[in-house]
Amino acid sequence: RLLNSSPARPCPPGPLPLRACTRTREAAMVYTRITQPGQRREYSYKPGETLLFRLSGTVIPAVWHMSLLTCVVTFFACVIYEPLRQGSKDQALGQREKLLLNLFRDMEKVMQYFTGFVTFILGFFNSIVFNRWWHMRELIGNIVEAGQNTAMHIAVFFVKEPPARDGVDGAVQLQRSRRELIRLLALGQALALQACHRVRDHTWLINRGLLVRDSEEHMVLQNLASPGYNEVFCWYIAKAYKFMGEDGMVDEKVFSSVLYSQRWSMLSSSNHSEDLMMHLNQQIPVAYTHLLELMTKLYVLITPLALVPSLLWVAIPVAPLVTLFFYGFFRLGTTMLMDPFQKDSGFDTEALLMASILNMESLERNVPLSWSQGGDGWRSRVCTRRSPCPPASSPTPMPWST
């Protein structure tokens, strides 16, 4: 859904310069939040620790009400069935009592038929949903990996200093260019992950130094109806080509291969981002989900009547456990695993993004090795003009590092 906010300064008809007016068309794709979440502590755990007594992050809060309902229904079913059982032994049942007794016994047989069917369709559904959930996790990893690979090319091959321009030394230009490319990579990744959360929060990006407020990039992104990551990936390719060609920051021997690798990484990032959007926007067919919900709830409702003839009062604690299993897997597949970006128990995308950005920053700072150690590259030349270089192990952080 697109919510068109009123512009700060109305735009007259006809073409205008980019900053002449504000034409804001923010896509407010908000489900539950307006910023990217980190995984909440109550939804995390340490491998190997017992989760037997955990409630937060489990399916129990979503199914306890149904389990309680079946427990209450089972209690009343036991109260009704006990006189019928005693009357059946004494052969003192009337026509209505016999009909009710046969209903209890028939429900027991019906449950046997339903168990196999519900188990099959529920297992198949949850297998599909979990594979879908895990594939989205793999797509996020592919986006991060493409950015890491691109950052490696920046660090290794963008090493030639351009001629001095406008009083700016070539070493300074090289440093700024490398960091500008890293910033665009991080901005594209952040926009892709924000789109997964159905948000577009430019303030979040500005506060982390990935975007400059009221810059041309900011104005263009505000006017886009799309998430904007494809445009940023294209900006990256255009700037990388300019730095490689006009500024000559890459050796001619590897020009073609580096350019191809950069383009391929950005295309891969775009493809994986679009795959994520397709997964999120294309739900499992409603006919399949409807049939699953119908059969699961029917099964849960007949469980109290079906268990009472064979278990009697023991059915009271058993019925909620049966409900927890079948209805729990149904709720797990239809809510918690369907969209890993909507719930707090989903992917920790903020940690993934920040780790990726810091890794790319580290590559830019410490490759080639001689530069990180204060050799004859831009690092030593820039530092000697002002103050001694800080140790390589404690570099001056970029804006997003804080």
Side-chain angles (χ1 to χ4, degrees), residues 39-45 54 56-58 336 344-346:
Q39 191 175 33
R40 304 301 188 262
R41 291 185 61 184
E42 60 264 29
Y43 294 100
S44 60
Y45 67 96
R54 284 284 298 272
S56 59
T58 69
M336 301 184 72
D344 291 333
S345 56

Side-chain angles (χ1 to χ4, degrees), residues 110-215:
V110 170
M111 183 180 180
Q112 295 176 0
Y113 291 113
F114 271 39
T115 299
F117 178 76
V118 173
T119 302
F120 170 77
I121 190 173
L122 196 59
F124 184 69
F125 177 81
N126 277 273
S127 176
I128 293 175
V129 171
F130 183 81
N131 289 335
R132 181 175 182 268
W133 180 88
W134 188 251
H135 185 57
M136 284 191 277
R137 174 61 183 82
E138 291 178 338
L139 290 174
I140 294 178
N142 292 337
I143 296 174
V144 172
E145 289 171 1
Q148 299 287 325
N149 295 337
T150 308
M152 291 174 64
H153 282 82
I154 295 172
V156 173
F157 296 109
F158 284 72
V159 294
K160 294 184 64 177
E161 297 180 9
R165 182 183 303 167
D166 299 330
V168 181
D169 185 74
V172 177
Q173 293 184 49
L174 179 59
Q175 176 193 14
R176 292 176 179 175
S177 300
R178 285 161 59 103
R179 293 197 172 190
E180 174 67 7
L181 293 178
I182 296 295
R183 183 191 65 83
L184 286 175
L185 285 176
L187 178 60
Q189 291 182 7
L191 288 173
L193 294 178
Q194 280 195 351
C196 293
H197 289 287
R198 279 75 157 189
V199 304
R200 195 167 66 174
D201 185 9
H202 293 160
T203 302
W204 191 93
L205 303 172
I206 293 170
N207 291 339
R208 283 156 180 79
L210 302 179
L211 188 64
V212 178
R213 189 181 301 275
D214 296 329
S215 63

Side-chain angles (χ1 to χ4, degrees), residues 126-364:
N126 277 273
S127 176
I128 293 175
V129 171
F130 183 81
N131 289 335
R132 181 175 182 268
W133 180 88
W134 188 251
H135 185 57
M136 284 191 277
R137 174 61 183 82
E138 291 178 338
L139 290 174
I140 294 178
N142 292 337
I143 296 174
V144 172
E145 289 171 1
Q148 299 287 325
N149 295 337
T150 308
M152 291 174 64
H153 282 82
I154 295 172
V156 173
F157 296 109
F158 284 72
V159 294
K160 294 184 64 177
E161 297 180 9
R165 182 183 303 167
D166 299 330
V168 181
D169 185 74
V172 177
Q173 293 184 49
L174 179 59
Q175 176 193 14
R176 292 176 179 175
S177 300
R178 285 161 59 103
R179 293 197 172 190
E180 174 67 7
L181 293 178
I182 296 295
R183 183 191 65 83
L184 286 175
L185 285 176
L187 178 60
Q189 291 182 7
L191 288 173
L193 294 178
Q194 280 195 351
C196 293
H197 289 287
R198 279 75 157 189
V199 304
R200 195 167 66 174
D201 185 9
H202 293 160
T203 302
W204 191 93
L205 303 172
I206 293 170
N207 291 339
R208 283 156 180 79
L210 302 179
L211 188 64
V212 178
R213 189 181 301 275
D214 296 329
S215 63
E216 289 186 351
E217 292 178 353
H218 188 203
M219 300 294 288
V220 170
L221 290 175
Q222 280 186 316
N223 285 276
L224 290 176
S226 63
Y229 51 80
N230 283 325
E231 286 77 4
V232 174
F233 293 148
C234 291
W235 296 343
Y236 172 86
I237 296 175
K239 282 202 172 183
Y241 182 74
K242 175 183 178 298
F243 295 153
M244 294 170 62
E246 294 182 15
D247 298 337
M249 297 183 184
V250 175
D251 195 307
E252 295 181 357
K253 298 178 182 178
V254 294
F255 184 96
S256 299
S257 60
V258 171
L259 179 60
Y260 175 82
S261 298
Q262 302 273 303
R263 291 166 53 195
W264 177 254
S265 295
M266 292 301 96
L267 291 175
S268 298
S269 297
S270 175
N271 292 341
H272 297 315
S273 299
E274 293 300 326
D275 284 343
L276 274 172
M277 296 299 103
M278 292 176 64
H279 274 76
L280 294 172
N281 294 326
Q282 180 59 58
Q283 298 177 335
I284 295 176
V286 64
Y288 190 95
T289 307
H290 171 263
L291 178 62
L292 174 65
E293 182 178 3
L294 176 64
M295 299 307 299
T296 302
K297 290 188 175 180
L298 282 176
Y299 184 86
V300 169
L301 291 176
I302 69 174
T303 295
L305 300 179
L307 293 179
V308 167
S310 58
L311 299 179
L312 296 179
W313 297 99
V314 179
I316 296 177
V318 172
L321 296 179
V322 175
T323 302
L324 175 64
F325 180 82
F326 286 96
Y327 192 68
F329 271 103
F330 168 73
R331 293 286 294 174
L332 180 66
T334 55
T335 57
M336 301 184 72
L337 294 181
M338 188 66 69
D339 187 350
F341 300 98
Q342 180 181 354
K343 303 296 182 181
D344 291 333
S345 56
F347 302 147
D348 189 359
T349 52
E350 185 171 13
L352 286 170
L353 176 63
M354 299 312 295
S356 174
I357 294 175
L358 293 176
N359 287 335
M360 292 189 294
E361 176 192 358
S362 177
L363 287 170
E364 188 277 326

